[in-house]
Amino acid sequence: MKSGISKWFNEIRNLRIKAKLFLLITISMAVSSCISLVGLQIAYSIYDQQIYEKSSQVLNLSSTLIENELNKVERLTFSIMSDEQIQQNLIVMNEDESDYNRIQSRAKLVDRLVQYINTETYIIAADITDVKGSSYSSGNLTTLSSERRDLIQTTADRGNGTLGWVNPDAEDYSLIAARQIRSFDKLELNKLGTLVLHVNLDKIVNQYAREAVTRDGELVIVSDRNLVYPRAASLKSLLNEGNPAESASKGFRIMEQDGEKYFVSHIHSDYLGWTYYNTLPFQTIFYHIILMKNWMIAAFLLSFFLLVGFGMTVARSVTRPIEGLITNMRGLQISDLEKSELPTIAPLSQQMDEVGLLQRTYRMMLVRIQELIKENYTKQLIIKETEFRSLQAQINPHFLYNTLESINWISKMNGQKQVSQMVESLGYLLRSSISLKQDIITVEDELQLVQHYITIQRVRFEERLDFRLDVPEPIRSNRIPKLTLQPLLENAIKYALEVMLEPCVIQIIGQEEGETILLIVEDNGPGIDEAYLEQILTGERKSRGTGIGLKNIDERIKLSFGDEFGVQVDNRAGGGARITVRIPITKRG
């Protein structure tokens, strides 16, 4: 798989520029088209979501208004059921054997029932049935089949005093609210009868929900695969859903029936177990969007082919001059550059773009190449001569080392131990100073240079030089630029020891501070003038010595380890100068 991908990349890399440009334009257009289409699809999805949210808000408002009215019906049934007159009259109807008393109670019961339903707009009729089966009704009561009457009675008995609802059917279009009437006297809760209210659901929906639903839409109420409202729905597939509550929780969807699509949003109510559907014909709300989408796809395809053709034209205008330039280069490759004259490259076009500048630069390059060939030949001769002289110059240091070695042996033979130590230290210093093999050495090697230098200076100053060395072993394996501490020690001798009559204490101290190492060279001399020191560090004034200055040491440390490291010079509180060298913690390798 990997070899196949690499082979494919190699084939693309070896294509001609014209093919690469064509491929680039094609891929760019394809990617931009895909991004645009995805963006459009996202925009349409957002639009669909907004439609759903609006439809959901409408359904929520409609269902809330409908159920508020049904809540009023429920409160009305409770008021009728708990009415003291109705309770007393029902007790008389159920227990009293006197026909006169029963007739009076019947009349009072019907009058009281009429008073309740006359004030209600959506109540078609009200009916109370006592335990003996006698019925007392008010309003436009329709004749019901025995099956529906049994369903109503079963619903009321199942509630045991709570309200039960019976949905409309093909025979009776009214919504039935049924509940048992139980005795409140002494909280015996004996059954006195059954209250049935016939509710005009069509009137409630038309009053509160019809105007809320869009003009072209349809409000459908379904309960347990049974159609509650309207009497006949255009989208009959809603009745075949297995679990209306579960399907309603999905939000919205697109459904199809008889070749026509519908945008359907749903809300499920737990109060009656109803599912409210708002169905909108898909073509009505999405016709213009689909038309615009098709137009945009056609515009993308047309612009794609136009840009591909334009890209091919641009690619040819770029590659033709380059191909001519390649032809001239191949002709020059065959000839001898040094002996041949410059080829005359006729301009292939009058344009002064990058390709024209490339041709002009090519001609200038040929001239420059010839000049560089001659210049390189001359430089090679000079380098050979310099190497020869360098070999001759190496004789002088070797002669000096041999001479010092001879003096050393003569001093040892004559018992001049001090002279022998000075000669050995001087030879070590000369070899280390002249050697160019290593620019960065260990602190241990640098301290050996310091020790040899102190050996020579002790012969000169004797007891006046009190040198102390306090560098722990772990620090000595770290790296430091060569000749860092020795020049600082030389400055301490020059500016402190030489101007003092009493003994001068010069010490080198090594410390670890986090991830850095501090190497401190300090003395008890007169210190350094601040103004003079500032001029030395900024380079305004050169040091009076002939060796390596403080600025040079600071720059070498910064070049080696970074700007956060270097040399810091200040005066001690008790007198004398202190020079602090800050380097990072490093190890060999």
Side-chain angles (χ1 to χ4, degrees):
M1 181 68 180
K2 187 176 181 180
S3 60
I5 294 176
S6 60
K7 182 180 179 181
W8 185 68
F9 275 112
N10 288 331
E11 290 179 356
I12 293 177
R13 187 173 58 185
N14 296 328
L15 288 175
R16 299 172 67 88
I17 295 179
K18 183 165 57 179
K20 289 180 180 178
L21 287 174
F22 174 75
L23 184 62
L24 177 63
I25 293 173
T26 304
I27 294 176
S28 301
M29 281 297 301
V31 171
S32 61
S33 299
C34 291
I35 293 175
S36 300
L37 290 176
V38 170
L40 285 174
Q41 191 61 37
I42 293 174
Y44 293 145
S45 299
I46 295 174
Y47 180 72
D48 292 346
Q49 185 67 27
Q50 290 178 347
I51 292 178
Y52 161 68
E53 290 176 356
K54 296 298 181 182
S55 178
S56 178
Q57 292 174 2
V58 168
L59 277 178
N60 189 30
L61 176 62
S62 301
S63 62
T64 302
L65 293 174
I66 292 172
E67 291 178 0
N68 285 340
E69 293 301 318
L70 297 181
N71 277 321
K72 292 180 182 178
V73 172
E74 183 176 1
R75 290 193 295 271
L76 177 63
T77 61
F78 182 79
S79 298
I80 295 174
M81 178 191 69
S82 59
D83 187 275
E84 183 177 357
Q85 295 184 22
I86 292 177
Q87 294 245 337
Q88 291 177 355
N89 289 323
L90 279 176
I91 292 173
V92 172
M93 298 298 294
N94 290 329
E95 297 178 357
D96 199 332
E97 298 294 334
S98 172
D99 292 338
Y100 177 77
N101 293 334
R102 288 172 59 83
I103 291 173
Q104 281 189 332
S105 297
R106 179 186 181 92
K108 292 178 181 179
L109 184 64
V110 172
D111 289 342
R112 190 61 178 164
L113 197 59
V114 169
Q115 292 177 8
Y116 274 109
I117 67 170
N118 280 344
T119 58
E120 298 297 327
T121 308
Y122 307 110
I123 304 300
I124 300 174
D127 179 70
I128 295 178
T129 304
D130 59 20
V131 294
K132 294 181 179 181
S134 300
S135 178
Y136 317 99
S137 60
S138 174
N140 187 15
L141 186 65
T142 59
T143 303
L144 302 178
S145 63
S146 58
E147 291 82 1
R148 187 162 179 80
R149 286 198 301 271
D150 292 341
L151 176 61
I152 295 172
Q153 187 63 46
T154 302
T155 303
D157 294 340
R158 190 187 304 120
N160 290 323
T162 61
L163 182 65
W165 296 92
V166 179
N167 295 324
D169 59 7
E171 178 187 355
D172 182 18
Y173 296 138
S174 61
L175 178 66
I176 303 299
R179 72 189 307 169
Q180 289 183 353
I181 300 177
R182 292 179 175 268
S183 173
F184 287 173
D185 186 23
K186 300 179 183 179
L187 297 178
E188 295 176 352
L189 298 179
N190 296 323
K191 179 179 178 182
L192 300 179
T194 302
L195 171 64
V196 177
L197 295 182
H198 296 254
V199 182
N200 190 340
L201 182 61
D202 290 348
K203 195 172 183 179
I204 294 177
V205 173
N206 290 330
Q207 178 68 29
Y208 293 105
R210 170 58 64 183
E211 296 181 358
V213 180
T214 51
R215 181 178 58 185
D216 299 320
E218 181 181 23
L219 177 66
V220 180
I221 304 175
V222 177
S223 175
D224 295 330
R225 296 187 179 183
N226 294 318
L227 184 64
V228 177
Y229 178 88
R231 299 177 183 180
S234 58
L235 198 60
K236 302 186 185 312
S237 58
L238 295 175
L239 302 178
N240 300 324
E241 295 181 342
N243 192 340
E246 181 180 352
S247 62
S249 65
K250 295 180 181 178
F252 70 96
R253 58 195 161 167
I254 306 298
M255 299 184 66
E256 187 173 353
Q257 179 175 295
D258 300 330
E260 185 175 359
K261 292 183 178 180
Y262 292 87
F263 180 88
V264 182
S265 56
H266 346 261
I267 286 181
H268 181 73
S269 172
D270 294 329
Y271 176 59
L272 296 176
W274 289 356
T275 302
Y276 296 81
Y277 294 90
N278 185 9
T279 63
L280 296 170
F282 191 82
Q283 294 294 333
T284 301
I285 58 176
F286 290 101
Y287 173 76
H288 296 290
I289 295 178
I290 295 173
L291 181 63
M292 180 61 66
K293 183 189 294 186
N294 295 332
W295 274 107
M296 293 192 71
I297 292 174
F300 272 121
L301 292 175
L302 179 62
S303 61
F304 175 76
F305 289 112
L306 290 177
L307 284 176
V308 167
F310 176 73
M312 290 296 296
T313 304
V314 173
R316 289 194 191 97
S317 66
V318 172
T319 55
R320 276 179 188 166
I322 295 178
E323 290 172 355
L325 189 60
I326 292 174
T327 302
N328 286 308
M329 287 182 177
R330 287 175 179 171
L332 182 62
Q333 183 180 2
I334 300 173
S335 62
D336 189 356
L337 181 63
E338 292 184 359
K339 296 181 180 179
S340 65
E341 296 181 357
L342 277 175
T344 303
I345 303 176
L348 299 177
S349 62
Q350 299 300 322
Q351 64 216 32
M352 287 303 294
D353 55 3
E354 287 82 357
V355 178
L357 293 175
L358 179 62
Q359 294 176 354
R360 180 173 177 272
T361 305
Y362 171 70
R363 298 176 65 184
M364 296 176 63
M365 180 190 67
L366 293 180
V367 176
R368 183 58 179 162
I369 287 175
Q370 287 185 346
E371 293 177 353
L372 289 175
I373 289 174
K374 295 178 181 179
E375 184 178 348
N376 184 58
Y377 179 73
T378 304
K379 286 183 177 179
Q380 290 296 328
L381 293 178
I382 296 173
I383 290 173
K384 293 295 183 183
E385 183 178 356
T386 303
E387 290 178 351
F388 177 72
R389 292 182 179 179
S390 177
L391 290 174
Q392 288 181 333
Q394 290 180 2
I395 298 174
N396 294 332
H398 287 297
F399 175 75
L400 179 59
Y401 299 151
N402 293 334
T403 303
L404 290 173
E405 191 67 25
S406 299
I407 295 173
N408 183 25
W409 281 106
I410 293 172
S411 300
K412 286 183 178 180
M413 292 173 61
N414 294 333
Q416 298 292 329
K417 201 173 197 179
Q418 196 174 32
V419 175
S420 175
Q421 291 177 351
M422 288 183 63
V423 171
E424 287 180 354
S425 298
L426 179 59
Y428 185 85
L429 289 174
L430 288 174
R431 286 189 181 90
S432 300
S433 301
I434 298 174
S435 175
L436 300 176
K437 291 182 179 180
Q438 286 184 322
D439 294 330
I440 306 295
I441 61 175
T442 63
V443 175
E444 177 66 31
D445 294 338
E446 182 70 12
L447 292 178
Q448 288 184 9
L449 281 172
V450 170
Q451 293 285 8
H452 285 290
Y453 178 74
I454 290 297
T455 299
I456 297 173
Q457 295 299 332
R458 275 195 176 130
V459 175
R460 177 184 175 190
F461 295 102
E462 298 179 348
E463 294 85 2
R464 290 176 57 200
L465 175 58
D466 184 1
F467 176 71
R468 302 173 186 177
L469 183 63
D470 183 14
V471 179
E473 285 298 328
I475 295 178
R476 298 191 177 207
S477 60
N478 286 271
R479 314 287 285 174
I480 190 172
K482 186 170 67 174
L483 294 177
T484 296
L485 298 178
Q486 187 273 331
L488 299 180
L489 198 62
E490 184 178 350
N491 287 339
I493 291 175
K494 182 176 182 63
Y495 296 108
L497 178 59
E498 289 184 357
V499 299
M500 294 175 61
L501 296 177
E502 62 274 7
C504 178
V505 178
I506 301 175
Q507 58 182 349
I508 299 178
I509 303 171
Q511 299 175 355
E512 287 190 15
E513 186 180 273
E515 295 297 323
T516 61
I517 292 176
L518 303 180
L519 295 173
I520 304 170
V521 180
E522 61 182 16
D523 59 69
N524 60 347
I528 307 174
D529 181 65
E530 297 290 344
Y532 178 76
L533 176 62
E534 182 68 23
Q535 292 175 351
I536 291 293
L537 292 177
T538 56
E540 296 179 7
R541 179 179 298 184
K542 295 183 179 180
S543 61
R544 289 172 289 187
T546 58
I548 301 174
L550 292 176
K551 192 172 186 309
N552 182 278
I553 297 173
D554 183 65
E555 289 177 352
R556 285 195 295 129
I557 294 175
K558 282 182 168 53
L559 287 174
S560 300
F561 302 119
D563 291 339
E564 64 269 26
F565 304 102
V567 178
Q568 179 182 350
V569 183
D570 52 3
N571 289 316
R572 297 173 58 194
R578 176 188 289 111
I579 302 176
T580 304
V581 177
R582 183 183 297 271
I583 59 174
I585 294 179
T586 56
K587 303 294 181 182
R588 288 186 181 271

